[in-house]
Amino acid sequence: MTLFGGGTILKIMKRVFIRDVSLSDFGKLKTSLIGIIQETFEKLNMDSDDVDGVFIGLMNPEGFTGVGNIASYITDKLGIYGKPAVRIETASSTGAAVFYSAYAAVKAGLYKNVLVIGAEKMTSLSTHEVTGLISQVIDPYERKTGLTMPALAAIVANRFRYESRIRPSKFQNLLAEVAIKNHFYGSKNPTAHFKKEINREKYFSSKYISEPLRLFDCSPVSDGAAAIVLSSEKGGVEIIGIGQGTDRQSLSKRETITSFDATIKAATQAYQMAGIAPESIDFAEIHDAFTPFEILGLLDTGLLKRSEIENFYLSKEGYHNGRLPVNISGGLKSRGHPLGASGLAQIAEAFKIMTDKYPPEITPEKKDVCLTQSVGGLATNNFVTILRLRGAVLKPAKKDTEEFFSKPPRFKSDSNLRVYSHTRLYSTAEGVESPLDLVICEHNYKKFFARYSDRDKPRIKSRVKITKKENGIVYVKQLRRFSIKG
Ligand code: COA
């Protein structure tokens, strides 16, 4: 066998299987970061002598817990020092990124068995401090304006609602449906952060974090860890497709903010590698760090069409007995979102569901193929993974991958400065006033973020003017062409 010639190289590439998985409890835990990882590692069914390499995903252990040089620290504490170990980081998709890197090493034949760990300990700090640390993933210029992750997600959500021509009250109902579904499944998941169901009343009485996002639209600040053993030989679930995409760090430099190109790129690669179309997916774990992101994630992976959104949620098609079960682990919303663990936890949950290790009353009937999607930062570094139960036979895709995705509608921009989207942010980072009205403005297809100060709330398309620029922050207010006297 020669190493030259693409076809031959592909033939010597290994198949990659998930051998075992383990999850810690997610939530506000008393245990230290290392303690959580240790407990998760010890629950794995494997002999550590079998491990050829260790891949560790942690987004910010330096900031959250003050621990550095983490890869060798962890292998030391786990008693597997001497093995090759690296730490991987891609913001909130870190868990999926570390899985991707470990997969590549096994696929290439570098290692036979690898240990993959994803973890974060976030709750030692206050919400203000955590908000400040998480905001570091945002473009530094945009962050200056006071933007946080929930604020950006709210701005995306408002624009998405506008472009989809959904009335605000109807849109809030849809978000409520996502939250109620994911909290329902969290209540069934023994390791979830929130094990309580919520109803519409509870949802609608919860506080706004950043309008239109309420408390129950946001993933929480959580501690937790996930671990997976990948193998080129043993394992009940095979990774048949995987992809990664990146995008401009700055949201304002993107053509659209209501569809994430990084997900579309990742999904395209994953479907092409698997040779299947979205209709072959039996269930999905989507990055619902904020409830509207579940909807966007389904669109950007081709699992849902724009015209289907309302019916999908109002007819409960995303439940375990529906057309496409989504986030039946509780998702990031209810299972919790320890940043470095979440992407890996999605895959660990999928493995449990596919191999009958899940509560039978919520296990879907069809569970041979699962798609997981993970979002890094504000969709700057995203991953899609497709898993197949070993031995399951799949129908090959008939269409071109490009046809799977329903593109967002295009809107005209003109030379007038107009509000493109907006939010009122209540949960600001430390040292930033609250509430804070934030807008993204557009003219001639160019966008920028600004603080908004006016007695009237901003509306999409309304005209604004710049009032001042101070310390790198732009301030705008409504443009009134006629002043009403008397
Ligand atoms: N969903 C549901 N309940 C939540 C919650 C959430 N996201 N966050 C906190 N709670 C609950 C708490 O358990 C607590 O309940 P209790 O009174 O019964 O004990 C109550 O709400 C108040 O909790 P607290 O921690 O004081 O809330 P907070 O206002 O400080 O924080 C958020 C709430 C939404 C601001 C915070 O969870 C957050 O910042 N989330 C987003 C994190 C993020 O950006 N992650 C990265 C995404 S990529």
Side-chain angles (χ1 to χ4, degrees):
M1 189 179 339
T2 166
L3 277 178
F4 304 104
T8 319
I9 288 177
L10 275 179
K11 271 190 214 126
I12 62 165
M13 290 232 185
K14 306 289 179 192
R15 289 169 71 184
V16 186
F17 301 96
I18 301 178
R19 220 173 120 169
D20 197 21
V21 308
S22 132
L23 289 157
S24 73
D25 281 337
F26 278 27
K28 193 170 167 56
L29 307 178
K30 291 205 176 85
T31 330
S32 67
L33 173 66
I34 300 300
I36 301 168
I37 293 174
Q38 229 153 7
E39 279 172 25
T40 315
F41 171 70
E42 280 160 15
K43 282 196 281 184
L44 281 172
N45 184 12
M46 58 166 279
D47 181 348
S48 44
D49 288 345
D50 271 2
V51 172
D52 305 312
V54 185
F55 289 76
I56 297 166
L58 278 151
M59 181 176 136
N60 194 350
E62 297 84 358
F64 288 122
T65 59
V67 184
N69 192 11
I70 196 85
S72 44
Y73 185 53
I74 290 174
T75 44
D76 186 7
K77 292 288 174 193
L78 297 183
I80 50 172
Y81 47 86
K83 310 269 182 194
V86 288
R87 176 239 182 139
I88 306 282
E89 183 276 317
T90 58
S92 44
S93 59
T94 290
V98 69
F99 184 84
Y100 185 103
S101 306
Y103 163 87
V106 178
K107 183 88 184 162
L110 186 61
Y111 302 127
K112 218 183 262 179
N113 296 298
V114 298
L115 170 64
V116 197
I117 295 170
E120 210 77 54
K121 168 92 189 168
M122 302 169 72
T123 65
S124 321
L125 305 179
S126 70
T127 304
H128 271 314
E129 290 169 318
V130 170
T131 303
L133 273 183
I134 296 178
S135 303
Q136 288 175 358
V137 308
I138 300 169
D139 174 84
Y141 177 73
E142 295 184 348
R143 198 195 319 150
K144 259 190 183 175
T145 316
L147 285 161
T148 63
M149 287 298 282
L152 282 172
I155 283 170
V156 168
N158 267 333
R159 181 73 196 179
F160 179 81
R161 183 201 64 69
Y162 171 83
E163 290 184 0
S164 307
R165 299 182 197 284
I166 305 176
R167 279 199 325 274
S169 59
K170 211 170 203 185
F171 187 61
Q172 198 84 60
N173 277 335
L174 290 178
L175 301 186
E177 288 298 333
V178 179
I180 291 167
K181 169 172 72 65
N182 296 356
H183 271 269
F184 169 74
Y185 286 111
S187 76
K188 308 276 179 201
N189 182 343
T191 58
H193 185 147
F194 297 121
K195 297 191 189 72
K196 275 193 194 147
E197 285 188 52
I198 58 162
N199 55 22
R200 285 175 58 82
E201 199 187 344
K202 185 135 182 142
Y203 172 88
F204 281 102
S205 60
S206 69
K207 63 180 176 185
Y208 277 120
I209 301 300
S210 197
E211 289 177 19
L213 304 184
R214 297 171 179 274
L215 179 74
F216 289 110
D217 291 306
C218 301
S219 56
V221 171
S222 317
D223 307 326
I228 287 183
V229 182
L230 284 181
S231 169
S232 54
E233 291 169 348
K234 299 179 194 166
V237 168
E238 182 172 6
I239 297 102
I240 56 167
I242 199 159
Q244 177 187 12
T246 60
D247 205 343
R248 303 293 302 257
Q249 187 86 351
S250 160
L251 210 61
S252 60
K253 295 212 174 79
R254 299 186 202 167
E255 197 180 315
T256 173
I257 65 168
T258 59
S259 169
F260 297 149
D261 205 38
T263 300
I264 295 178
K265 285 196 169 75
T268 304
Q269 291 163 28
Y271 285 126
Q272 280 174 354
M273 189 190 287
I276 60 167
E279 65 240 29
S280 294
I281 304 297
D282 293 327
F283 70 103
E285 285 287 315
I286 299 291
H287 188 103
D288 58 334
F290 304 100
T291 50
F293 283 12
E294 178 175 302
I295 303 173
L296 262 66
L298 287 172
L299 297 175
D300 290 339
T301 51
L303 292 171
L304 200 65
K305 302 261 174 290
R306 282 183 179 246
S307 55
E308 297 170 337
I309 299 169
E310 285 182 46
N311 193 43
F312 185 82
Y313 282 102
L314 300 179
S315 309
K316 303 206 179 306
E317 291 184 351
Y319 280 69
H320 68 281
N321 48 3
R323 173 165 72 91
L324 178 75
V326 180
N327 287 333
I328 55 169
S329 65
L332 279 57
K333 170 73 266 292
S334 181
R335 186 180 66 244
H337 187 18
L339 301 162
S342 288
L344 197 63
Q346 292 177 316
I347 297 169
E349 300 280 11
F351 176 87
K352 284 168 64 185
I353 293 165
M354 295 168 97
T355 56
D356 296 319
K357 294 182 177 68
Y358 223 61
E361 69 278 13
I362 52 160
T363 299
E365 206 176 303
K366 279 172 67 197
K367 53 182 174 54
D368 286 353
V369 191
C370 175
L371 178 147
T372 67
Q373 176 245 10
S374 186
V375 172
L378 212 289
T380 55
N381 207 339
N382 300 1
F383 293 82
V384 169
T385 307
I386 301 176
L387 310 169
R388 177 185 60 180
L389 192 66
R390 198 167 190 166
V393 182
L394 307 184
K395 267 197 273 159
K398 287 203 194 96
K399 290 193 285 188
D400 217 13
T401 329
E402 289 225 332
E403 293 171 36
F404 303 158
F405 308 106
S406 52
K407 297 260 157 47
R410 284 182 71 89
F411 286 79
K412 275 203 180 135
S413 174
D414 57 31
S415 57
N416 295 313
L417 188 58
R418 294 180 191 276
V419 173
Y420 184 76
S421 191
H422 56 87
T423 187
R424 174 165 286 182
L425 171 66
Y426 296 90
S427 187
T428 50
E430 206 160 24
V432 180
E433 70 195 63
S434 166
L436 188 62
D437 280 316
L438 295 162
V439 288
I440 178 168
C441 304
E442 188 188 48
H443 68 125
N444 290 332
Y445 294 103
K446 289 202 172 74
K447 303 183 199 68
F448 65 89
F449 281 98
R451 285 191 188 177
Y452 174 94
S453 48
D454 203 294
R455 59 170 197 270
D456 298 324
K457 274 191 162 185
R459 290 161 64 93
I460 292 177
K461 285 300 262 183
S462 63
R463 287 181 64 181
V464 285
K465 65 173 183 183
I466 295 174
T467 53
K468 62 174 173 173
K469 290 182 187 169
E470 206 172 75
N471 301 325
I473 303 172
V474 181
Y475 293 80
V476 298
K477 64 185 277 196
Q478 286 223 24
L479 180 77
R480 290 183 182 79
R481 274 182 290 174
F482 310 104
S483 60
I484 302 161
K485 290 192 180 133

